[in-house]
Amino acid sequence: MDYGRPALADALAVEYVLGTLRGGARRRFETLLPAHATLRAATQAWQDRLLPLSVAVDPVPPPPHVWQKISARLDGATPAASTTAEPGGAWNRLSFWRGLTAFAGVAVLGLAALLANPRAVPPPIVVVLAATGAQAGTAAAPSIVASISGDGNTLVTRPIVPVAAGADRSLELWAVPTQGPARSLGILAGGSGTVALRGNVMAGVDTLAVTLEPPGGSPTGLPTGPIVYAGKFSL
Amino acid sequence: MVTNATDWSERSLDLSRLLSRASLGDRAAFGTLYERTSAHLYAVVLRINRDRAQAEDILQEVYVNVWRAASSFDAAQSQPLTWLTRIARNRAIDSLRRDRTQPQIQSLGTSAGGTDPEDDSVYDTVADSAPGPLDLLSRASDARSLDECMEQLSALQRQSVALAFFHGLSHAEIAEQLRQPLGTVKSWVRRALQTLKDCLQGAVQRDAARAGD
């Protein structure tokens, strides 16, 4: 399905906000949201329309022990610690990725060699996107890691250093083929995203790039802003 | 009227400040945020999941989540109470997904066959003193000057939307509740929301035109 189609996005978003989208469909919708600007915009619009209806509900004070439990659970957890660093071990450690990219050069890793079982599902392909602004002679800083699942259906990105576009800009991820125009893979909020790879969006692609775009993504469907991160790979 | 649109916007600035302080780790600000919003969110959750113990657990999860995600709140993107309500509604709706597969509430589910028409209806299981979903819709429409828009909906359209929005019922559950075919209910809801959308957009455009005079 093409989630960029406004009519489909609107139909899904209204069911999501109203609450009639349930179960697997609801979870699927939530995984698609971060990477699809059209879906997010439609969802936001329906939230703006419908959620204020909630003001009519008579307040019901919760019993005091609810706050006591919340308060007990917050002890020892600060917002900063939990939002900037998920407990992800090596995945999130900069030194790990620095070592990896230094070793890999082009920044392509097929993890097949690490797997003993030849019948295993094809390994994911890891692409490291480096900042493009580096001066000649200095190493480009690895900034975002993208992992393409072995079956080629999903791409997940994670920032390994803080990545921000500024309040009035969005970071948009592109699949760049050796020939022809770049194809949008969606918006990366803070460098994180999950993309369902549909059709042959990755055909002939040898580069992933992130550009700075107006809020919500490129208005033209093609990159309009500067490339801020990029990484090459081979499928 | 319990709440009105003016309160809603006046509270926003205040709640935004509390949220941004909470995102910096200010527990006192977070406590104040809880004091000012928990009765509203608890009521929203309780309408969707009427089990008080579960609703309390959901509320607890909501605020732990809010504390952790406070820094992702963007005042330019949404109103704080809308943001909080969204988190609470999503948690409550997710709890239904798990819950309604359990046997004791199957009569609310889609298994039409053996359902006794005299079974407790959803209305009966809502506390008697609580206003019904239609009362809520009309109050909310007072709050947003939506009377006009709501009037364009048929009574059954309004009722379908209200059962879904306030009580978290699925299309199948609404169909059972109103004793109407599923396809009919789905098309009521779809058309009702389309009407509402068109009407609201019209209202926004009229406001904008007036502001431009």
Side-chain angles (χ1 to χ4, degrees):
Chain A
M1 275 195 281
D2 177 6
Y3 295 103
R5 254 177 53 217
L8 175 64
D10 197 67
L12 286 170
V14 69
E15 290 228 12
Y16 176 73
V17 175
L18 187 64
T20 47
L21 194 69
R22 290 294 178 78
R26 190 172 187 86
R27 283 192 297 278
R28 213 155 37 243
F29 185 86
E30 284 171 342
T31 23
L32 289 169
L33 268 184
H36 290 270
T38 318
L39 279 185
R40 270 205 317 284
T43 303
Q44 179 80 46
W46 276 109
Q47 276 164 352
D48 291 345
R49 281 181 205 119
L50 293 183
L51 291 194
L53 293 175
S54 304
V55 296
V57 175
D58 282 330
V60 181
H65 64 251
V66 176
W67 172 248
Q68 285 153 18
K69 283 187 191 167
I70 293 168
S71 199
R73 283 180 60 183
L74 299 191
D75 289 332
T78 69
S82 46
T83 50
T84 56
E86 291 164 344
W91 182 257
N92 284 323
R93 277 208 308 275
L94 181 56
S95 57
F96 172 79
W97 291 108
R98 281 204 174 124
L100 214 54
T101 44
F103 168 75
V106 218
V108 181
L109 284 179
L111 295 184
L114 302 178
L115 297 172
N117 183 357
R119 284 165 302 178
V121 182
I125 294 169
V126 177
V127 185
V128 178
L129 284 75
T132 54
Q135 302 292 315
T138 63
S143 305
I144 296 175
V145 180
S147 167
I148 302 166
S149 64
D151 58 13
N153 288 334
T154 319
L155 183 151
V156 179
T157 65
R158 291 278 179 272
I160 47 181
V161 292
V163 164
D168 54 344
R169 287 302 174 103
S170 288
L171 292 171
E172 188 158 3
L173 179 66
W174 303 87
V176 187
T178 46
Q179 292 192 318
R183 303 160 194 152
S184 174
L185 297 177
I187 301 297
L188 301 179
S192 285
T194 302
V195 183
L197 299 172
R198 294 177 185 281
N200 44 10
V201 68
M202 296 302 281
V205 169
D206 71 343
T207 302
L208 290 177
V210 175
T211 60
L212 266 186
E213 299 292 342
S218 161
T220 65
L222 288 170
T224 61
I227 297 177
V228 282
Y229 308 104
K232 274 186 167 297
F233 67 102
S234 57
L235 281 176
Chain B
M1 192 159 67
V2 179
T3 332
N4 63 43
T6 321
D7 289 343
W8 178 276
S9 54
E10 276 173 4
R11 284 170 80 187
S12 283
L13 197 60
D14 202 29
L15 296 180
S16 292
R17 267 189 228 114
L18 291 171
L19 265 173
S20 63
R21 295 197 61 93
S23 74
L24 298 170
D26 184 338
R27 283 280 289 275
F30 185 68
T32 311
L33 180 78
Y34 180 87
E35 274 168 30
R36 297 200 185 155
T37 55
S38 58
H40 176 67
L41 296 194
Y42 188 52
V44 166
V45 169
L46 207 49
R47 286 208 161 252
I48 295 173
N49 188 329
R50 290 178 299 278
D51 181 308
R52 282 192 177 255
Q54 286 186 31
E56 287 172 17
D57 286 349
I58 292 165
L59 194 68
Q60 201 189 117
E61 290 303 323
V62 166
Y63 278 96
V64 170
N65 228 4
V66 166
W67 171 253
R68 291 190 178 142
S71 60
S72 70
F73 170 73
D74 180 354
Q77 291 289 318
S78 52
Q79 300 279 325
L81 202 54
T82 307
W83 188 76
L84 294 168
T85 304
R86 175 171 63 76
I87 296 174
R89 279 181 58 84
N90 280 340
R91 283 271 172 181
I93 292 166
D94 284 348
S95 78
L96 295 182
R97 181 188 75 219
R98 282 190 288 276
D99 214 46
R100 286 188 187 168
T101 60
Q102 287 169 14
Q104 70 268 24
I105 354 190
Q106 252 176 10
S107 67
L108 275 179
T110 55
S111 55
T115 311
D116 181 343
E118 299 304 316
D119 266 359
D120 282 359
S121 74
V122 172
Y123 283 129
D124 298 337
T125 56
V126 175
D128 288 338
S129 59
L134 284 179
D135 295 335
L136 291 177
L137 264 191
S138 69
R139 276 197 213 172
S141 58
D142 289 344
R144 300 188 71 202
S145 312
L146 284 186
D147 293 358
E148 230 177 282
C149 295
M150 297 311 299
E151 272 169 22
Q152 295 181 9
L153 306 183
S154 74
L156 283 166
Q157 280 180 329
R158 254 178 300 197
Q159 199 164 12
S160 305
V161 170
L163 285 170
F165 184 78
F166 291 111
H167 292 301
L169 297 201
S170 67
H171 284 130
E173 289 159 350
I174 298 167
E176 192 177 338
Q177 168 77 22
L178 300 180
R179 310 203 196 298
Q180 295 287 337
L182 179 58
T184 309
V185 166
K186 280 188 177 176
S187 88
W188 280 341
V189 172
R190 195 171 52 239
R191 268 186 269 143
L193 291 166
Q194 187 59 47
T195 307
L196 210 55
K197 180 181 174 180
D198 295 343
C199 182
L200 285 173
Q201 270 164 358
V204 168
Q205 277 155 14
R206 278 194 300 278
D207 284 352
R210 231 173 275 141
D213 285 345

